[in-house]
């Protein structure tokens, strides 16, 4: 093999490198064109693949051109091996980053398709990124001629110390994985804890769960605390829910007429108000003889948790107006107080007070005390 590099060698290497760069640019334009057509399809997976390949393909073409150019140069076997290993490691690095991007995007797309919300479970995204990147790093080290067995052994020995130092972090990590694996909570669910926190689950990451309440504020709950708390999930097993509204009418009301009018208002609200469920089996149930009225419960159907406030608002307004039009009274609580005249009788006893002296503690008349006469 020749040891001197001529201008002809440099020219061939430059042409190969330039060809790789030009091919990379052309492929990038091609991938951009494919990306526009991929957005027109209903499946989001092709968008993810085209977006990831748009970054990988140009670099792969450039690296291929550099490899061809290196082969054209009269390099020694040692230098050629170093160049080949470096280019291979660079190609593996770009492929690893691309695979990380593709897997993370597919997980996000799958989560959004399942929940129908923008929130995602980033704990799985982060875990997948770490796993793919770690595998790519091991392949790169193996390609560079570095043995990975001692490194894996060292990581196994040091894992115990790391686990002891990160007990709380690992507890939250495994609690988050357990929550998602058991499907008790998913992004988009509306939950309420026994401690009072409630809202829509926005994200479940490696440390905590992010909940957005109805006032649009974020509540941060550690995963370990969430997994051990008493909780109500208003989205599972069904997002639709039953809403109870309490009401009452006077004792002289015709209860059949009250029930018929109330059901007409219920049907009207379910059909006209957003969030109402028309096919829900609404009902009126009388249940209590109160102090001043007969109490009953109206059962409504809401599409989700936040819809109940709008439904209650409209139902109470319309029911109140309809009762007034029908002459149905909703009495206010009333109390009857009877006063009996009283006064001191012949046997009235004078009020007495306790002496202020703590030592005596005796009783004495409330009037003045007579003084003793002269001896």
């Amino acid at each position: 093999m020749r040891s001197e590099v001529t201008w002809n060698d440099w020219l061939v290497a430059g042409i190969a490198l330039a060809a790789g760069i030009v091919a990379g640019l052309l492929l990038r334009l091609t991938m951009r064109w494919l990306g526009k057509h991929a957005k027109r399809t209903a499946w989001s997976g092709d968008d993810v693949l085209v977006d990831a390949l748009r970054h990988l393909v140009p670099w792969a073409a450039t690296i291929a051109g550099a490899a061809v150019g290196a082969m054209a140069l009269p390099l020694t076997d040692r230098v050629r091996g170093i160049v080949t290993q470096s280019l291979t490691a660079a190609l593996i690095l770009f492929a690893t980053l691309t695979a990380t991007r593709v897997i993370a995007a597919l997980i996000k797309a799958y989560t959004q398709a399942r929940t129908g919300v923008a929130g995602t479970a980033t704990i799985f995204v982060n875990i997948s990124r770490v796993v793919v990147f770690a595998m790519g790093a091991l392949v790169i080290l193996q390609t560079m001629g570095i043995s990975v067995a001692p490194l894996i052994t060292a990581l196994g020995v040091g894992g115990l110390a790391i686990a002891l130092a990160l007990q709380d972090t690992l507890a939250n990590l495994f609690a988050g994985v357990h929550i998602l694996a058991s499907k008790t909570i998913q992004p988009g669910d509306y939950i309420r804890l026994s401690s009072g926190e409630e809202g829509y689950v926005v994200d479940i990451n490696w440390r905590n769960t992010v909940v957005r309440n109805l006032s649009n504020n974020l509540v941060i709950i550690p995963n370990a605390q969430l997994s051990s708390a008493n909780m109500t999930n208003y989205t599972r097993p069904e997002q639709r829910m039953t809403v109870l509204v309490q009401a009452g009418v006077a004792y002289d009301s015709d209860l059949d007429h009250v029930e018929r009018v109330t059901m007409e208002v219920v049907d009207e609200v379910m059909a006209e108000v957003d969030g109402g469920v028309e096919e829900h089996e609404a009902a009126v149930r009388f249940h209590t003889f109160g102090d001043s009225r007969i109490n009953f419960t109206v059962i409504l159907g809401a599409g989700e948790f936040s819809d109940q406030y709008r439904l209650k608002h409209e139902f109470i307004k319309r029911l109140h107006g309809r009762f007034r039009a029908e002459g149905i009274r909703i009495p206010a609580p009333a109390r009857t107080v009877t006063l009996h005249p009283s006064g001191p009788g012949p046997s009235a006893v004078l009020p007495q007070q306790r002496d202020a002296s703590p030592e005596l503690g005796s009783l004495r008349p409330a009037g003045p005390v007579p003084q003793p006469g002269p001896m």
Side-chain angles (χ1 to χ4, degrees), residues 336-371:
T336 301
V337 180
T338 304
L339 299 178
H340 298 281
S342 61
S347 59
V349 180
L350 293 175
Q352 294 185 350
Q353 61 183 13
R354 184 172 295 277
D355 197 310
S357 174
E359 291 84 1
L360 298 179
S362 59
L363 295 176
R364 60 183 177 86
V369 180
Q371 300 294 329

Side-chain angles (χ1 to χ4, degrees), residues 5-19 65 68-70 72-74:
V5 181
T6 63
W7 286 105
N8 187 30
D9 297 332
W10 285 114
L11 180 61
V12 174
I15 292 174
L17 180 60
V68 173
L73 295 176

Side-chain angles (χ1 to χ4, degrees), residues 62-341:
T62 303
I63 292 174
V68 173
M71 294 177 61
L73 295 176
L75 303 176
T76 61
D77 294 339
R78 183 173 180 274
V79 175
R80 189 183 299 277
I82 294 175
V83 172
T84 302
Q85 289 179 352
S86 301
L87 293 177
T88 304
L91 182 60
I92 295 174
L93 176 61
F94 285 114
T96 301
L97 295 177
T98 301
T100 302
R101 185 191 301 268
V102 170
I103 293 176
L106 289 177
I107 292 177
K108 290 181 179 179
Y110 175 76
T111 305
Q112 293 178 6
R114 288 288 302 273
T115 60
V117 297
T120 57
T122 56
I123 182 172
F124 287 152
V125 175
N126 294 331
I127 290 176
S128 64
R129 285 176 176 171
V130 171
V131 171
V132 174
F133 193 79
M135 295 177 61
L138 294 178
V139 174
I140 291 174
L141 292 177
Q142 192 70 29
T143 303
M144 298 295 293
I146 301 174
S147 178
V148 297
L151 180 61
I152 296 176
T153 304
L155 291 176
V157 174
L160 179 60
I162 296 175
L164 292 176
L166 301 176
Q167 291 185 16
D168 295 338
T169 302
L170 292 177
N172 289 319
L173 174 63
F174 288 110
V177 174
H178 171 70
I179 290 172
L180 290 173
S182 61
K183 296 183 179 180
T184 56
I185 302 176
Q186 296 292 329
D189 292 354
Y190 192 96
I191 62 173
R192 175 184 292 170
L193 303 184
S194 58
S195 55
E197 296 87 352
E198 64 177 278
Y200 291 98
V201 178
V202 177
D203 183 23
I204 302 176
N205 54 44
W206 61 274
R207 179 173 176 79
N208 50 54
T209 298
V210 182
V211 176
R212 177 177 56 83
N213 55 27
L214 296 179
S215 60
N216 208 29
N217 296 321
L218 297 181
V219 181
I220 311 300
I221 307 173
N223 292 332
Q225 177 181 344
L226 183 64
S227 63
S228 60
N230 295 329
M231 175 188 59
T232 302
N233 192 332
Y234 289 95
T235 306
R236 299 178 182 276
E238 186 179 1
Q239 191 173 16
R240 295 179 177 180
M241 60 178 299
T242 299
V243 180
L244 305 180
V245 180
Q246 305 298 328
V249 294
Y251 274 94
D252 57 356
S253 302
D254 184 355
L255 297 186
D256 292 333
H257 180 57
V258 170
E259 182 178 4
R260 183 172 59 256
V261 170
T262 305
M263 288 299 301
E264 291 176 359
V265 176
V266 170
D267 296 338
E268 178 183 340
V269 170
M270 291 293 98
E272 298 179 2
V273 179
D274 293 338
V277 182
E278 294 188 56
E279 59 271 18
H280 186 274
E281 185 178 355
V284 176
R285 295 291 182 264
F286 297 95
H287 56 78
T288 307
F289 289 100
D291 294 337
S292 58
R293 58 184 182 177
I294 298 177
N295 298 315
F296 62 93
T297 300
V298 183
I299 303 175
L300 308 175
E304 61 169 332
F305 185 87
S306 60
D307 293 335
Q308 63 176 313
Y309 303 106
R310 186 187 312 109
L311 292 173
K312 287 181 179 180
H313 171 76
E314 290 293 332
F315 174 74
I316 291 175
K317 286 199 310 179
R318 300 189 185 193
L319 184 65
H320 180 263
R322 186 66 183 278
F323 276 5
R324 292 184 62 181
E326 297 288 339
I328 300 175
R329 294 191 305 110
I330 305 177
R335 294 291 185 272
T336 301
V337 180
T338 304
L339 299 178
H340 298 281

